[in-house]
Amino acid sequence: AVAYDGSSTLVAVGYSGTILTSSDGTTWTSRTSGTSDNITNVFYKTGGGFVATGGNGLLIISADGTTWTSKTSGCGMTEDMWSINLESSTGVIIGDNGSIYTSTDRGDSCTKRTSGTTVELNELLYGDSTFVAAGDNGTVLTSSDGITWTSRSSSTTNDLYGGTYTDSDADGAKKFVFVGASGKLLSSNSTYTTWTPIELSSISTGNLFGLARGGTTWVIVGTSGYISSITDDESDVTTRTSGTTEYLRRVFYKP
């Protein structure tokens, strides 16, 4: 995963405690994370710095991306955690076994919440004062506060891996969109209570892992170097040449 502070620092995290920072995306410097656990996600909160999570309940924080401090013991998580979101005043972290934790103090203390599921939760998004968590077996959960969660019908049993929120698509609607196993695309209605598959015959039937939107274009990435671009009105769906056969896990858009 990658996070950006909006001005000068990119932070990339990965396997075996890897943390890299860059000011330009070209030259990268390795940083000491203090862990050998896999770091699965990193998030930047304005005024609050970087927060990263990962295997075995890992939680580490940094004001500048360079010096990192562990909050693992204080937070008390034990599961492998996969996604974190700090856009609300309440920070939320999700992971294995349906685990959901909240914190209001950057991990000095955390509270485990009831999710109503035991599946792996893979992606956590926030938009329009709503949290949405998605995971295996087509699981979709929503919450207005990060504390109380409601299960939603997703109309699929495909695992869901990544997604994005947009405050205005071609129809002017606010919505969450997720991608997942076997070419699955899933979109919410305007109240985020129901979810409908997006049927595009030209999309890969392989696993899709990442999704981003910039301007009026959506970009999806997945297995074997897969990249596809889609216009807002779905009139142009084109597979692009990535130059790699490696799995592409995430894609971001910087305005």
Side-chain angles (χ1 to χ4, degrees):
V2 177
Y4 179 55
D5 68 0
S7 61
S8 61
T9 303
L10 286 155
V11 172
V13 300
Y15 286 163
S16 304
T18 298
I19 297 180
L20 307 174
T21 65
S22 175
S23 61
D24 58 9
T26 301
T27 302
W28 293 83
T29 302
S30 179
R31 304 299 182 181
T32 300
S33 66
T35 182
S36 59
D37 286 315
N38 294 338
I39 306 176
T40 56
N41 211 292
V42 60
F43 195 96
Y44 179 79
K45 182 176 179 65
T46 302
F50 295 93
V51 180
T53 192
N56 298 311
L58 177 72
L59 188 68
I60 54 177
I61 68 171
S62 175
D64 56 8
T66 300
T67 303
W68 292 81
T69 302
S70 176
K71 296 288 184 177
T72 303
S73 59
C75 192
M77 300 183 298
T78 57
E79 303 89 348
D80 290 347
M81 309 306 293
W82 295 105
S83 191
I84 183 170
N85 193 290
L86 307 174
E87 291 181 76
S88 171
S89 58
T90 298
V92 180
I93 310 169
I94 63 171
D96 279 358
N97 305 318
S99 56
I100 298 177
Y101 291 82
T102 63
S103 178
T104 57
D105 53 20
R106 297 182 73 218
D108 285 335
S109 60
C110 295
T111 302
K112 190 171 187 178
R113 305 301 180 178
T114 299
S115 69
T117 183
T118 58
V119 305
E120 180 179 301
L121 298 175
N122 300 314
E123 179 71 297
L124 176 65
L125 303 175
Y126 182 79
D128 197 21
S129 301
T130 304
F131 290 98
V132 181
D136 289 355
N137 300 333
T139 299
V140 174
L141 309 174
T142 65
S143 175
S144 61
D145 57 10
I147 297 171
T148 303
W149 292 81
T150 302
S151 177
R152 304 297 185 183
S153 175
S154 68
S155 305
T156 184
T157 57
N158 292 44
D159 295 345
L160 301 174
Y161 298 125
T164 193
Y165 168 77
T166 178
D167 60 6
S168 179
D169 68 356
D171 300 323
K174 299 177 179 179
K175 63 179 63 175
F176 294 88
V177 182
F178 287 100
V179 295
S182 303
K184 179 59 66 177
L185 277 77
L186 199 66
S187 176
S188 70
N189 66 347
S190 59
T191 58
Y192 322 128
T193 54
T194 60
W195 299 76
T196 304
I198 301 172
E199 304 294 345
L200 297 174
S201 59
S202 53
I203 290 293
S204 168
T205 57
N207 291 344
L208 306 175
F209 294 118
L211 172 68
R213 179 174 180 262
T216 58
T217 300
W218 301 74
V219 172
I220 297 173
V221 300
T223 57
S224 303
Y226 180 78
I227 298 178
S228 183
S229 65
I230 306 171
T231 55
D232 254 353
D233 59 7
E234 300 175 8
S235 62
D236 182 7
V237 181
T238 304
T239 300
R240 305 297 180 179
T241 301
S242 69
T244 182
T245 57
E246 301 292 343
Y247 282 22
L248 299 176
R249 296 290 185 179
R250 289 183 178 269
V251 56
F252 297 88
Y253 176 77
K254 180 184 180 300

